[in-house]
Amino acid sequence: MNFRIFESAEELARGAAEAIVRRVEHDGARVISLSGGTTPKPVYRHLSSGELRDRLAEFDIIWVVGDERFVPSRDEASNEKMIRETLFAAGMPPGHHLLSFRTDGVEPEESALLFERDWRELGIRGLDLAVLGVGDDGHTASLFPGVDPGDDERIAREVFVEKLSAWRLTLMPRILRAAEARFFLASGANKREVLGRIERGDDLPAVAVSAGTPSTWWFVDRAARGEVERA
Ligand code: 6PG
């Protein structure tokens, strides 16, 4: 696994933000899927201000919400809401667009179908970069252990996650595997055990999305790699 190890979560956030901008500037990334959760929030805040924002504003970018909790768009659990309040805290640069899952006034299945319609109408042929997190159970996006999203030609799908008793919406594994590059973000001691399982190739969604793919990097801090200095 290609690890980039940072001293702290803050340095990880800065390093990942810079790496995303360089992927845009030097590798032509224009369609970028974004993870939800807490780890990426400081990354998105770095991208929303100062020099990094200015560098990104030079390009047309389609940002894609990689997965969503099926909650009202104003709900604090909404990934779209989190992304709009961090990555776009200072407004969305001209030429940028956010493709998200509609969760108000629709059922989960319709939400996924509407997302696919929008994806196709935008002419998206695939992801240039997938920014992903990983749960301590090995889930990534909203691909959870024991929850089969199917393996047909769908781009995104609704999944009911028993352990959460909740509907989720998620990009399909094949879309994430086909991305030109994947940046996984994992910080904190609570991710140490699952990173070990992923390194061993256990049967986990994060492994299914990343195993054998070129251009996959794991941005981690020392706590997540079990390298915290003994006090
Ligand atoms: C979500 C994310 C999910 C997340 C992991 C890790 O909707 O929650 O897309 O896959 O990346 O749950 O979350 P943390 O970064 O909060 O540990």
Side-chain angles (χ1 to χ4, degrees):
M1 287 166 68
N2 297 321
F3 283 107
R4 288 195 58 189
I5 302 176
F6 298 86
E7 289 301 321
S8 67
E10 174 48 30
E11 289 189 24
L12 187 168
R14 273 203 304 274
E18 174 66 32
I20 291 167
V21 174
R22 291 179 63 81
R23 197 77 201 176
V24 170
E25 292 173 332
H26 301 290
D27 300 284
R30 298 294 181 271
V31 183
I32 303 173
S33 70
L34 298 170
S35 170
T38 57
T39 307
K41 291 169 79 169
V43 179
Y44 302 160
R45 289 194 186 100
H46 280 296
L47 294 175
S48 73
S49 59
E51 180 218 345
L52 294 184
R53 174 187 166 86
D54 294 343
R55 288 163 60 185
L56 286 175
E58 296 294 317
F59 301 90
D60 291 347
I61 298 174
I62 298 176
W63 303 96
V64 180
V65 177
D67 73 301
E68 186 57 279
R69 296 82 178 275
F70 192 70
V71 297
S73 56
R74 294 176 182 275
D75 191 298
E76 282 308 309
S78 164
N79 285 335
E80 177 181 356
K81 184 174 189 289
M82 179 274 286
I83 291 165
R84 288 189 182 280
E85 292 174 350
T86 52
L87 181 60
F88 301 124
M92 191 182 294
H96 288 208
H97 178 81
L98 180 65
L99 171 55
S100 60
F101 291 91
R102 180 177 157 190
T103 57
D104 297 326
V106 293
E107 293 303 314
E109 181 181 9
E110 188 181 2
S111 174
L113 292 170
L114 288 170
F115 177 94
E116 290 195 353
R117 182 201 65 186
D118 294 346
W119 169 289
R120 291 193 174 91
E121 284 180 357
L122 287 165
I124 298 174
R125 302 180 63 79
L127 298 176
D128 298 315
L129 174 62
V131 178
L132 293 160
V134 60
D136 55 15
D137 62 353
H139 80 262
T140 189
S142 283
L143 302 165
F144 284 80
V147 181
D148 179 7
D151 57 4
D152 53 21
E153 291 308 300
R154 292 295 297 274
I155 294 162
R157 170 149 282 157
E158 71 287 356
V159 291
F160 187 77
V161 184
E162 289 292 345
K163 69 183 270 190
L164 302 176
S165 297
W167 283 98
R168 289 283 189 102
L169 295 143
T170 187
L171 286 174
M172 295 289 273
R174 70 180 183 85
I175 296 293
L176 297 172
R177 285 185 62 84
E180 289 300 314
R182 280 148 296 278
F183 288 177
F184 282 87
L185 314 175
S187 69
N190 66 316
K191 299 295 171 75
R192 190 181 311 170
E193 191 265 338
V194 72
L195 285 176
R197 294 186 60 199
I198 291 165
E199 261 189 301
R200 290 193 297 275
D202 285 10
D203 179 18
L204 299 169
V207 174
V209 164
S210 61
T213 57
S215 306
T216 296
W217 287 269
W218 296 77
F219 292 73
V220 301
D221 61 7
R222 292 205 178 283
R225 286 299 284 154
E227 297 175 12
V228 175
E229 295 301 320
R230 295 280 173 258

